[in-house]
Amino acid sequence: MRSAAITLVSALHDADAHGLAERLLGNGPSRDHAMRVRGSAVTVARAVAERADRLDRSCGPEADHGLVVSLAAGTDVRAVGMMLANAARSETGDDRVLRHVVSVLRADDVAHLLWSDVDDAFVAAERISALVEYATVIVLDRIEPLSGRRRRALVALLHRMAPHALVVSGRSVRGPLDLPASNGGAARLLTGGAGWMRALSSGADLDFPPRSDRDSLVTLRYREPLPFHPGRLARVIEHDLAAGVNGRVLRSKGFFRLASRPDHVGAWSSFGAMLALDPTANRSWDADAPVGQALWFVGERLDVHGIERALDSALLTAEELLAGPDVWRTWADPFPVWPTLDPSHGRRGE
C-alpha cells in the first residue's frame, strides 16, 4: 500500500476547501505534504498520485505521513478517488489509498437551497449532493444562522444521504487529529456508499420503519417494473410532489423509465425544489440497465402512501402497455428533449 495516505478536501467554494486543508496540515508536515490542484479528474488523479509517489521516495516506506489535497470547486471527487484506488490496486494489489474524503459546506447556503423553494440553482444543487454523498467527513461552516430545529433537520438529512459519513462543525476541526482514524479504505465507499445507492441495492429502506425516532424525516423506496406515462408523470411532479402536498421532499435520487423515450434509462435527481431528469449512458436493452422505476425519497413528514399512489397513477395501464413503443413515441411529452437528441437538458423548472 502507498505510505502517503491521501486526504481529499473539496467544497462548493475554493476558499473553504483551502482553509480547511491548511488546518488539517497542522504545524507538522512540510509544504510537500500539501497541494492544490485543478483540472479534469484524470489530470487531478495523475498529479496527486505523482506527488504521493515522491513523498514515498523522500520519506521512506516506513514513514507515517500523509498528503492533504485541496481540490478546486467542481472537481469530480468521486472519479478522482476511484482512479487513485484503481491505480494503487493495479500497482500494489491494495486500494486503501484514501484516508478521508472531506467536504466543506456552508450550512446556511445549503439550508436555503433546501427550504426556500429555489428552483433554478441546478449546478449548486448537483455539486452539493455529490459533496455530501461521496464524503467520509462533512464539515459544516456557518451553522450559527440556523435555528436549532433547522440545524437538526439538516444534519439528519446529511446522515440519510451519506450514512457512513461523520458530520462535524467547522469549529471542531482545528487539526489533523480532529478527523477520525481511518484504515485508508475511503475509496471503497465511493462506489456504493451513498444513501440512495444503499437503499436501492438493499431489500428495504435504510431505516425501517420509514419514520425514525430521532427526527421527523421519512424515507421511501419506490420500485415498479412499468414505465411512466409522460403526461401523467408531469402532473405528479407538478402537483403531488410539490412541497406541502405529501410532505416536503428534500432529496430524491434513482432511475426511471419514460414510455415516450423507450430507448433510454433516465436518471432522476432532486434537491430541494429542483428536479433534474436526465438520460443515463444505459440503453434500455443493456444487461445491467435498471428495470422500470427505482427511486429513493427522503423528506419531512412524507405521506408515503400518498406519494406511492401518485406515482402508481403515472404508470402505464395494461392497455397502454400492450400498445407498444411505436405508439408510446407518439404521445405528447412535456419534458425537454434529452442531450442525446438535443442540447437541451431534461429538467423541470429551467
Side-chain angles (χ1 to χ4, degrees):
M1 183 181 74
R2 178 175 284 124
S3 300
I6 299 166
T7 295
L8 301 178
V9 183
S10 56
L12 201 61
H13 307 278
D14 287 345
D16 296 346
H18 298 337
L20 185 73
E22 289 290 329
R23 299 206 299 274
L24 291 179
L25 284 168
N27 298 321
S30 70
R31 293 298 94 184
D32 290 338
H33 292 256
M35 66 183 299
R36 297 182 181 182
V37 61
R38 65 175 58 249
S40 68
V42 173
T43 300
V44 170
R46 183 180 295 117
V48 172
E50 290 173 354
R51 174 67 69 84
D53 285 338
R54 288 200 299 272
L55 276 179
D56 285 342
R57 291 193 295 270
S58 63
C59 297
E62 302 304 320
D64 182 15
H65 59 280
L67 175 64
V68 178
V69 182
S70 176
L71 301 176
T75 302
D76 189 340
V77 64
R78 183 175 186 239
V80 171
M82 292 177 69
M83 288 180 193
L84 290 170
N86 290 338
R89 187 185 305 113
S90 66
E91 293 172 7
T92 67
D94 194 330
D95 62 0
R96 291 176 296 171
V97 65
L98 287 188
R99 177 173 289 165
H100 281 296
V101 178
V102 183
S103 293
V104 188
L105 300 177
R106 298 179 180 180
D108 54 344
D109 286 349
V110 177
H112 177 71
L113 288 181
L114 286 167
W115 282 284
S116 68
D117 296 325
V118 173
D119 63 0
D120 59 355
F122 284 97
V123 172
E126 290 175 0
R127 288 181 177 176
I128 289 171
S129 297
L131 286 171
V132 171
E133 291 169 343
Y134 305 127
T136 60
V137 179
I138 301 169
V139 178
L140 292 179
D141 283 334
R142 298 188 352 191
I143 61 175
E144 294 78 14
L146 302 183
S147 67
R149 176 178 174 276
R150 186 52 49 83
R151 190 181 306 177
R152 290 189 294 272
L154 175 59
V155 172
L157 175 64
L158 299 180
H159 281 306
R160 296 301 208 291
M161 293 174 64
H164 56 271
L166 174 69
V167 181
V168 298
S169 70
R171 290 183 176 180
S172 68
V173 182
R174 297 174 297 276
L177 296 180
D178 293 318
L179 295 186
S182 168
N183 65 359
R188 299 181 182 181
L189 295 173
L190 300 178
T191 60
W196 71 272
M197 292 179 176
R198 293 176 60 178
L200 293 180
S201 63
S202 69
D205 287 336
L206 284 178
D207 52 345
F208 186 84
R211 182 179 298 277
S212 169
D213 293 335
R214 299 185 304 274
D215 52 61
S216 63
L217 297 189
V218 178
T219 58
L220 161 66
R221 185 171 61 96
Y222 183 80
R223 281 190 176 277
E224 286 293 339
L226 294 171
F228 284 131
H229 184 285
R232 295 201 296 273
L233 178 62
R235 288 194 293 273
V236 167
I237 292 171
E238 188 73 21
H239 300 288
D240 300 276
L241 297 183
V245 178
N246 287 297
R248 178 183 286 270
V249 176
L250 296 174
R251 171 68 169 151
S252 63
K253 182 71 174 176
F255 304 100
F256 73 104
R257 297 289 188 96
L258 201 58
S260 51
R261 307 178 188 195
D263 298 331
H264 295 82
V265 176
W268 174 300
S269 179
S270 79
F271 189 84
M274 288 157 285
L275 172 62
L277 303 176
D278 294 316
T280 68
N282 285 112
R283 292 282 186 168
S284 297
W285 51 82
D286 290 345
D288 59 347
V291 175
Q293 322 306 336
L295 303 172
W296 179 74
F297 297 82
V298 58
E300 292 179 315
R301 298 176 296 279
L302 295 187
D303 181 346
V304 171
H305 298 301
I307 293 175
E308 289 176 338
R309 284 194 299 269
L311 292 172
D312 286 347
S313 73
L315 298 173
L316 295 193
T317 65
E319 293 77 13
E320 290 169 337
L321 181 66
L322 292 174
D326 290 341
V327 172
W328 304 343
R329 289 187 178 94
T330 67
W331 291 342
D333 187 331
F335 299 103
V337 177
W338 279 341
T340 50
L341 304 176
D342 184 271
S344 302
H345 275 70
R347 292 174 175 166
R348 300 287 292 173
E350 285 190 316

